[in-house]
Amino acid sequence: MTAGLPTPSTAAKLRALMPHRYGPALGHGAAVVRRAQIRQLTVASLTHRLTLLRAPSGAGKTTLLGQWLDVLKETGRVVAWLSLEADDASPLSLIEGLIGALADNGQGQAVFHFTPEFGDEIRAALDISIAAAARRLAAALNGPGFRGVLILDRFESIDRSPSGTFIAVLLQHLAALNVVIASRHRPQSLPLSNLRARDELAELTMADLHLDVAEMQALFGDDLPDQYARKLHLLTGGSPVALQFARRAIDALPGDEHMVADTAHRPLAIPNNWLDWLDDYYSDEILGALQSDLQHVMNRLVIVERFDLSLAEAIAGPQARQMVNRLYSEQGLLVHDRFTNQFHFPETLRQFLEKRLQWLDEAELAALHARAAAWFMERGNAVDALHHAVAANNQDMASQLLEQLGIVSVAVLHGVPSLKSMMSRVAPLAETVSLQARLAWSVIRAHEGGISEASKLLDQAKVDIAAAGESLPATMAFDCALAEGLLDGFTDRHMSVRMSNLIIQQLARTPRTEHPQRALLHVLLSWEAFRDGRLDDADQGVNDAATEYAAVDGGYGSIFMNIHRTLIRFWRNDLEGARHECLIAERMAHLFYPGDERLRMLTKAIKSGLLFDLDPEQQPAALLELAAQVNMFESWCEVLLWSANCTVQAAIRDGRIDDARRVLDQTVAAAKRLTVEKLVWAVDCLRAEIETLHGDRYLALDLAERLSLPDIDHVMIANVDLTWRERIGGLLTYGLILRREGRLSEAASAADRAAQLLTVTPIPRLAARLAVLRAHLALAAGKEHLVRPLLAEARATFPNLVSRQIFLEQDGAGLPSLAPYLPAFSTDPERVTQRRTPMLTSTFKTNAPSAADPLTAREREILQSMREGHPNKVTAHRLGLSEATVKFHLRNIYRKLDARNRTQALARYAAIAGAPYGL
């Protein structure tokens, strides 16, 4: 055989030396099996001479073909793979690769048997012409009884070269081999129109490779809660490369032993904004491959978020229809909504195009935005119309639309930063005179920490509303009430009876389709329930609000619901639930709002507090710096106090009393900036606790008197709206001070009064603190026999993870007095001392069965997915199975475990495997 062409005996060696040449590149194992696309490929390869996958780099072509290749091998179908390279532009190199791929399929079998003389024949034919060589190879492959599939990946490497011509001729004469080609661009060398006319061409484009919502959820698993799934799909359009970047960004988030299970596979590069990765991809792989006429049209179409063909023509001219068709069907860069018959760019691509493309002059841009605003206005789409009215600097139309939508809807749908951006162009704060503008800026300034200024703006708006009477639209009074409720929430003030009744009445009147308004009403009711100590009602309110936010993809509001739910879980001592919600908030903020520093700071502060609570000896890094940032920029009193508490306790545990006092001073300064006396009171109460443990006991007693701690269960304090936290927590702090002074009977009295309040407002967190305080008092009074039952009582308030801080805070690091009693208060003593594995760690040892384990490895995987709450469809996608196969395995699991349903199966397997069910 001629030198340079492989023989059957050398083909297997070539495959071993160059596996990526004759098969998909390593690392293309599927996170999500694309079953619908695999079926398309299977049918197309049986019925069409050529199947073409055309999409940019990273769109998932090779991954999909790799999955399909596995399916073909399992079914026994004859298949060969060749990944093309730049050198294959030479026909001789291409022929060498083709013969290598066809001579051995990687399973010890030849796709086609070439005779030793064939190399000489094909070389002689190539000396005549490229077409002659292609016909000779086709004649050899068209032998009797032979059928197979040839996959050519990266065809763009040889397009418009002599080798491209070789493949074109080969296609014309092949009868026994169906060809599947993957290319970044539309191949110019191939007779596509001719093949399509003869119904011998099947095409899959970028749009066909996009993931649907179920596939996307399978890719992200538990890291993407249902209420965020649709928003992410709208943001990315289901683009595989965008979703992979988003997936990697979540995996790259910094973690710790408590919060993150697997740190071994995090990427080394951790971006502040994963969209930067995506922008680089769009720049290198999308724009660089587009013709100038398409770029010209995209420069104009990207002005609007959504458009039909009539609006496209108005913006881009009469050629728009053809260009839209090319962008959609050929390039896969547009998403088509079949219900509205509108097109749009995926939001990530649209944002990139806005930043990077060569823009038109300002006058033309404004004119295009004005035209788009009018178009959307005619069709009743006020949300999109508002965006374009602002961009067109049409203040009258923007003000009208803001009044129609209400500032609540805008803030919920787009976030307060976006509301500020709009208001800065439509009605800057310095020029605020209208009622709508005052309400908008009141919400914005409250969000930014300008509580005093927000209150003044709100008061002015109330005066205007009272003067206008019934002539104002209903949305105006509604927005005013909600702005007032938000201010109450930020400053942790009880609502007035009038406000509470107004919100309840408004919720009953608000149509169920008005999701943003209903969401915020539920939020306000939840906050009020939380202030009253009705934690179950507060939790239900958060859940109702999250449901409303999810209906309109209100990701910004949803993240705050996760934060609020974290706080509720914390006070209920459900630390596993608090950790879960905190992780969701952190991940979703990083995913959807990577540039929002406030959200980043909020989620980091909450997470740091939880970490410290679970293990005070493992202090999160940079707590002091984080507390300083929170005190400088945050306006939510709950978070300010949370941050101060964990940072001060951490500093004390580290022996840095001066740092602890400095944080307290900074938090008091923040409280005064916000004009919230209640926060000043709470910080001084924390100061009294710290001083009695590690500083000046006389100062602690003096603070206790000034704070009215001896009578805090019934006293009223001017400008301080006392709730369960101040009254019960104040009594516990006072009991601690008295115990340290040796006044045990007075301390016991304070504890008893706290217990009475807890019977009215049962807060598990405070109940645990009370039990630990009483254990200290029992030990100091010589009643050792009561210590362990009291610690057991404290332990019983924790349904899952246990706070070490609760048991250590009373006497500082080490807890010398109660340490001998701690191991005895739980059947699982490591609950207090062991670093817990995170929520993503499997409860069941899916790869290490015990000797008595009746389940197979696959059945254990399905049971684990079932435990995580996934439906059969998602489980099938995650494991690469059909839904029918999952159901088959479930029947076997039920039979083996003698279970009637999933709950029974989980419980019985947990007993067999020795794993604590539900933890």
Side-chain angles (χ1 to χ4, degrees):
M1 191 168 185
T2 303
L5 297 180
T7 66
S9 62
T10 61
K13 294 180 181 179
L14 283 172
R15 178 180 294 278
L17 292 173
M18 297 184 293
H20 296 175
R21 173 75 162 161
Y22 300 108
L26 295 176
H28 283 282
V32 178
V33 177
R34 312 298 306 282
R35 296 198 169 277
Q37 288 77 9
I38 288 173
R39 284 194 294 270
Q40 282 182 272
L41 283 171
T42 302
V43 173
S45 66
L46 289 170
T47 58
H48 295 80
R49 186 184 298 261
L50 172 64
T51 301
L52 175 63
L53 275 76
R54 181 170 41 80
S57 172
K61 303 183 299 297
T62 303
T63 298
L64 174 60
L65 289 176
Q67 295 174 2
W68 185 51
L69 178 67
D70 292 338
V71 172
L72 293 180
K73 289 179 178 178
E74 288 178 3
T75 59
R77 197 167 173 194
V78 179
V79 58
W81 179 297
L82 179 63
S83 296
L84 299 169
E85 304 166 350
D87 289 347
D88 292 324
S90 164
L92 187 59
S93 176
L94 173 66
I95 293 170
E96 174 188 337
L98 288 171
I99 291 177
L102 293 164
D104 183 87
N105 69 350
Q107 298 173 299
Q109 299 174 346
V111 176
F112 188 84
H113 294 281
F114 294 99
T115 64
E117 296 78 21
F118 180 75
D120 295 328
E121 295 175 14
I122 197 78
R123 183 61 178 268
L126 187 59
D127 289 339
I128 299 172
S129 69
I130 291 173
R135 287 193 293 270
R136 179 66 189 90
L137 180 58
L141 295 173
N142 289 339
F146 174 72
R147 296 289 297 180
V149 175
L150 172 64
I151 299 174
L152 298 177
D153 195 16
R154 300 202 292 264
F155 188 82
E156 69 277 357
S157 302
I158 67 168
D159 195 23
R160 299 186 180 185
S161 74
S163 292
T165 303
F166 180 94
I167 296 297
V169 176
L170 185 67
L171 280 169
Q172 292 178 14
H173 296 283
L174 276 178
L177 200 64
N178 296 85
V179 179
V180 177
I181 287 177
S183 177
R184 296 184 184 183
H185 319 306
R186 179 181 175 84
Q188 301 299 309
S189 303
L190 305 181
L192 298 182
S193 298
N194 182 275
L195 290 168
R196 186 181 295 110
R198 296 187 314 210
D199 196 24
E200 294 181 341
L201 172 65
E203 291 186 84
L204 278 76
T205 65
M206 185 174 178
D208 297 306
L209 296 177
H210 288 173
L211 278 69
D212 61 26
V213 174
E215 291 172 326
M216 184 186 68
Q217 287 181 297
L219 175 65
F220 282 83
D222 291 338
D223 290 334
L224 184 69
D226 290 345
Q227 66 263 34
Y228 294 99
R230 185 167 175 266
K231 181 175 179 62
L232 182 60
H233 199 263
L234 289 173
L235 182 67
T236 61
S239 163
V241 67
L243 291 172
Q244 286 293 348
F245 282 148
R247 171 74 265 181
R248 287 168 59 191
I250 288 181
D251 292 340
L253 280 173
D256 53 82
E257 299 91 337
H258 296 291
M259 293 291 200
V260 178
D262 184 10
T263 60
H265 302 294
R266 289 200 203 106
L268 293 178
I270 301 176
N272 288 328
N273 190 334
W274 65 276
L275 296 176
D276 292 341
W277 283 345
L278 195 55
D279 282 357
D280 291 340
Y281 167 78
Y282 287 144
S283 178
D284 296 341
E285 302 295 340
I286 302 296
L287 285 190
L290 287 179
Q291 296 91 335
S292 59
D293 57 346
L294 286 176
Q295 291 196 31
H296 177 81
V297 170
M298 287 174 70
N299 272 330
R300 286 152 178 79
L301 291 181
V302 77
I303 297 298
V304 294
E305 289 88 346
R306 295 173 179 272
F307 54 88
D308 64 7
L309 293 177
S310 65
L311 179 58
E313 286 185 330
I315 292 174
Q319 77 276 24
R321 286 179 179 268
Q322 178 188 359
M323 296 299 174
V324 167
N325 180 63
R326 288 173 60 187
L327 288 169
Y328 171 65
S329 61
E330 294 182 12
Q331 302 298 329
L333 298 178
L334 285 174
V335 180
H336 182 221
D337 188 331
R338 300 185 185 278
F339 294 102
T340 63
N341 205 28
Q342 292 181 355
F343 296 86
H344 66 273
F345 294 102
E347 184 61 18
T348 50
L349 176 58
R350 191 189 67 79
Q351 291 173 5
F352 163 77
L353 293 171
E354 282 189 329
K355 290 184 290 186
R356 301 293 180 91
L357 282 178
Q358 183 65 41
W359 278 109
L360 314 170
D361 65 76
E362 290 187 11
E364 186 176 358
L365 274 177
L368 289 172
H369 277 298
R371 199 177 305 164
W375 189 87
F376 283 115
M377 192 85 158
E378 289 174 3
R379 287 156 179 78
N381 187 338
V383 174
D384 286 331
L386 173 62
H387 169 79
H388 294 290
V390 171
N393 292 316
N394 188 333
Q395 295 190 8
D396 291 339
M397 179 182 285
S399 298
Q400 176 187 347
L401 288 165
L402 267 174
E403 182 177 309
Q404 176 184 336
L405 286 170
I407 59 170
V408 174
S409 295
V410 176
V412 168
L413 291 173
H414 303 289
V416 177
S418 293
L419 175 63
K420 180 181 180 180
S421 177
M422 290 182 183
M423 293 305 301
S424 297
R425 299 184 67 172
V426 174
L429 180 58
E431 304 171 12
T432 295
V433 292
S434 72
L435 173 57
Q436 185 70 44
R438 285 191 180 119
L439 289 174
W441 280 109
S442 174
V443 171
I444 293 167
R445 293 300 294 134
H447 182 270
E448 295 175 336
I451 299 296
S452 178
E453 189 176 9
S455 297
K456 290 178 182 178
L457 288 165
L458 182 60
D459 289 341
Q460 292 172 354
K462 288 180 180 178
V463 172
D464 293 343
I465 289 175
E470 297 182 358
S471 61
L472 288 174
T475 56
M476 204 73 75
F478 176 72
D479 280 348
C480 183
L482 290 181
E484 184 177 350
L486 285 171
L487 275 174
D488 288 341
F490 278 123
T491 55
D492 200 24
R493 294 195 303 255
H494 269 296
M495 289 182 191
S496 65
V497 175
R498 177 193 63 82
M499 172 63 67
S500 180
N501 290 336
L502 177 62
I503 289 176
I504 293 172
Q505 293 167 9
Q506 186 65 41
L507 182 60
R509 289 196 299 262
T510 303
R512 294 194 175 275
T513 55
E514 299 294 332
H515 300 291
Q517 291 87 339
R518 293 181 62 84
L520 206 37
L521 290 168
H522 282 302
V523 169
L524 297 179
L525 291 174
S526 175
W527 280 359
E528 187 64 9
F530 183 75
R531 283 189 288 270
D532 287 342
R534 295 178 285 111
L535 299 186
D536 289 343
D537 291 343
D539 200 29
Q540 184 59 52
V542 170
N543 293 338
D544 292 339
T547 301
E548 300 288 354
Y549 282 132
V552 289
D553 310 310
Y556 200 79
S558 294
I559 291 171
F560 276 91
M561 290 306 92
N562 290 121
I563 294 173
H564 191 35
R565 199 183 278 123
T566 299
L567 300 175
I568 295 170
R569 301 281 195 275
F570 173 82
W571 286 103
R572 292 167 71 172
N573 277 349
D574 177 10
L575 299 187
E576 180 74 26
R579 184 178 62 177
H580 176 74
E581 295 296 333
C582 179
L583 280 173
I584 292 174
E586 180 188 41
R587 289 167 177 161
M588 297 305 101
H590 191 65
L591 194 62
F592 295 109
Y593 305 98
D596 192 314
E597 290 301 323
R598 188 207 174 191
L599 275 182
R600 185 187 293 268
M601 180 180 65
L602 264 178
T603 55
K604 189 174 181 181
I606 298 294
K607 178 179 177 181
S608 297
L610 279 176
L611 288 175
F612 179 76
D613 192 66
L614 288 166
D615 193 350
E617 295 174 5
Q618 299 296 321
Q619 299 174 18
L623 266 180
L624 287 172
E625 180 183 347
L626 178 60
Q629 293 174 354
V630 170
N631 284 324
M632 187 175 298
F633 300 110
E634 186 51 51
S635 58
W636 192 353
C637 291
E638 181 74 24
V639 174
L640 284 164
L641 191 57
W642 172 286
S643 175
N645 184 61
C646 75
T647 306
V648 166
Q649 298 284 1
I652 290 296
R653 188 165 298 283
D654 216 20
R656 294 176 285 119
I657 184 68
D658 289 338
D659 285 341
R661 288 167 176 156
R662 184 160 48 251
V663 171
L664 291 171
D665 291 340
Q666 291 171 352
T667 310
V668 168
K672 292 179 177 178
R673 166 176 60 85
L674 299 172
T675 64
V676 181
E677 289 297 323
K678 179 178 180 178
L679 182 56
V680 176
W681 187 96
V683 173
D684 281 341
C685 189
L686 177 59
R687 191 191 303 273
E689 183 176 328
I690 297 304
E691 294 295 345
T692 197
L693 289 174
H694 301 278
D696 187 340
R697 291 193 207 170
Y698 297 106
L699 174 59
L701 282 169
D702 181 60
L703 280 170
E705 291 295 332
R706 286 196 282 121
L707 295 170
S708 301
L709 292 188
D711 306 306
I712 197 63
D713 51 338
H714 60 269
V715 75
M716 302 297 291
I717 301 177
N719 300 319
V720 178
D721 183 14
L722 298 175
T723 66
W724 52 269
R725 184 166 34 195
E726 291 76 36
R727 296 192 186 279
I728 303 174
L731 282 171
L732 293 175
T733 297
Y734 188 51
L736 169 63
I737 295 171
L738 293 172
R739 182 182 68 79
R740 297 287 289 188
E741 289 297 308
R743 295 156 62 178
L744 299 185
S745 61
E746 294 175 76
S749 174
D752 291 341
R753 287 152 58 199
Q756 290 175 0
L757 293 180
L758 281 169
T759 60
V760 179
T761 310
I763 306 295
R765 183 79 182 184
L766 296 178
R769 284 188 59 191
L770 172 63
V772 172
L773 173 60
R774 282 176 161 172
H776 277 281
L777 292 173
L779 187 62
K783 301 177 181 178
E784 252 183 85
H785 64 284
L786 296 178
V787 175
R788 287 180 178 173
L790 285 167
L791 291 176
E793 180 183 328
R795 169 62 182 85
T797 65
F798 293 90
N800 38 68
L801 300 182
V802 174
S803 163
R804 291 191 70 198
Q805 174 62 13
I806 279 285
F807 297 96
L808 299 179
E809 65 181 354
Q810 299 285 340
D811 263 335
L815 192 65
S817 58
L818 293 184
Y821 301 89
L822 288 180
F825 76 80
S826 171
T827 56
D828 181 11
E830 292 188 351
R831 280 292 206 174
V832 178
T833 58
Q834 181 185 22
R835 294 181 190 175
R836 300 296 298 167
T837 53
M839 71 173 184
L840 296 181
T841 303
S842 299
T843 295
F844 304 133
K845 311 298 184 184
T846 57
N847 296 317
S850 66
D853 194 335
L855 302 185
T856 66
R858 176 66 79 189
E859 287 167 349
R860 286 192 296 276
E861 289 176 340
I862 290 173
L863 195 63
Q864 175 62 20
S865 183
M866 185 167 56
R867 175 186 173 273
E868 293 167 358
H870 297 300
N872 291 344
K873 184 175 182 180
V874 173
T875 298
H877 278 296
R878 295 181 78 187
L879 301 180
L881 305 172
S882 69
E883 195 168 353
T885 302
V886 170
K887 291 178 180 178
F888 171 79
H889 285 302
L890 280 176
R891 287 194 295 272
N892 284 338
I893 290 170
Y894 293 160
R895 176 179 54 79
K896 291 179 179 180
L897 299 177
D898 192 23
R900 295 183 179 180
N901 52 46
R902 296 183 177 216
T903 302
Q904 276 190 358
L906 289 166
R908 291 179 181 180
Y909 185 72
I912 293 172
Y917 171 66
L919 300 183

